[in-house]
Amino acid sequence: MTILVTGATGTIGSAVVDELLRAGHRVRALTRNAAAADLPDQVEVVEGDLTEPRSVEVALRGVTALHLLSATGDDHVPLATGPRLVELARQAGVRRVTVLTTGADGPVEQAVRASDLEWTILLPIDVMANALGWAESVRTGGVVREPYGGRLTASVDIADFAAVVATVLVDGGHAGKSYRVTGPEALTPADKVRAIGAAVGRELDFVELTDEQARELWRAEGWPEEGIDFMLTMWATVPPTVGVVTSVVKEVTGRSPRTFAEWAGEHARLFA
Ligand SMILES: NC(=O)c1ccc[n+]([C@@H]2O[C@H](COP(=O)([O-])OP(=O)(O)OC[C@H]3O[C@@H](n4cnc5c(N)ncnc54)[C@H](OP(=O)(O)O)[C@@H]3O)[C@@H](O)[C@H]2O)c1
């Protein structure tokens, strides 16, 4: 069984690769730039670009299970190439596919649902690792500045999300399902900052920003304009379900999802 992981060099995909390797599976990774891909030696790295389906044909050869992104770029644009990618996967002999969705019902999601593949659509509401974006500000000033401070998110540890992906791809039994994959609790950014403070042994401040203040700060940090627009629009329009905890991690993997406090403890050195 060769499993192709797209997004394998990214935050979430690299955790999927690690989880599959730990379980002893043969992993192939798709990247647009093999020379820059920093992946474990056991991984077969193949170049391809999901926006150009023909470039992915080589990577799909001999693959039976596929972890597929549904969107790319700083503004998380849905992949318009979804139907072609799904068709090429079918032709190559792929039987099982996990789709990493952003929650949008885009071309990839629609194409897998219309196919005869064993598809499972997985939405990580928000991953705890996104809090690493606060590390520098915590280290240098003991403060986190963010807009939408009242938002509650049931963030999931990428290791738990990756374990769900790996279980679904390898064991099957989840065909035709769409899962929201969350951690065990819904927290505000201020709750998370408190947990990081406890992990590093310091009291940290949380400052809520307006949209304009956030835009200025993120520009100064070098964020691309489309990434800023994406984040502000997302947090302004996000449905309350982002704060609803699900039991998917436990049901699929059999283990309880990690809390944010545990995640913060494991990553404390990055904030100290
Ligand atoms: N972070 C979250 O909380 C969250 C929540 C829900 C959904 N998502 C979705 O999950 C996906 C991955 O998130 P992440 O945080 O792991 O992102 P990330 O760290 O920024 O990594 C992005 C990955 O996408 C790959 N990629 C980008 N454009 C590509 C293209 N045209 N063809 C092939 N590969 C391409 C990159 O590979 P190379 O650069 O090596 O080619 C890289 O591996 C994103 O699509 C995001 O929308 C994220």
Side-chain angles (χ1 to χ4, degrees), residues 48-107:
D49 186 327
L50 292 167
T51 64
E52 294 167 25
R54 290 199 57 184
S55 73
V56 182
E57 279 181 79
V58 172
L60 282 167
R61 270 183 213 151
V63 168
T64 49
L66 166 67
H67 177 63
L68 182 60
L69 299 183
S70 68
T72 56
D74 293 320
D75 43 2
H76 307 267
V77 174
L79 275 164
T81 49
R84 186 71 188 130
L85 291 168
V86 169
E87 188 47 35
L88 288 173
R90 284 185 66 258
Q91 286 169 8
V94 171
R95 288 308 316 146
R96 209 171 274 161
V97 58
T98 47
V99 173
L100 170 48
T101 186
T102 59
D105 187 26

Side-chain angles (χ1 to χ4, degrees), residues 5-14 30-34 36-37 39 48-52 55-56 67 69-77 79 100-103 122-130 156 158 161 230 234:
V5 178
T6 67
T9 60
T11 309
I12 297 175
S14 58
L30 186 84
T31 176
R32 290 163 299 171
N33 184 353
L39 287 159
D49 186 327
L50 292 167
T51 64
E52 294 167 25
S55 73
V56 182
H67 177 63
L69 299 183
S70 68
T72 56
D74 293 320
D75 43 2
H76 307 267
V77 174
L79 275 164
L100 170 48
T101 186
T102 59
L122 299 169
L123 171 64
I125 288 299
D126 174 67
V127 296
M128 293 176 184
N130 288 341
V156 65
I158 50 172
F161 181 77
F230 174 83
M234 180 182 73

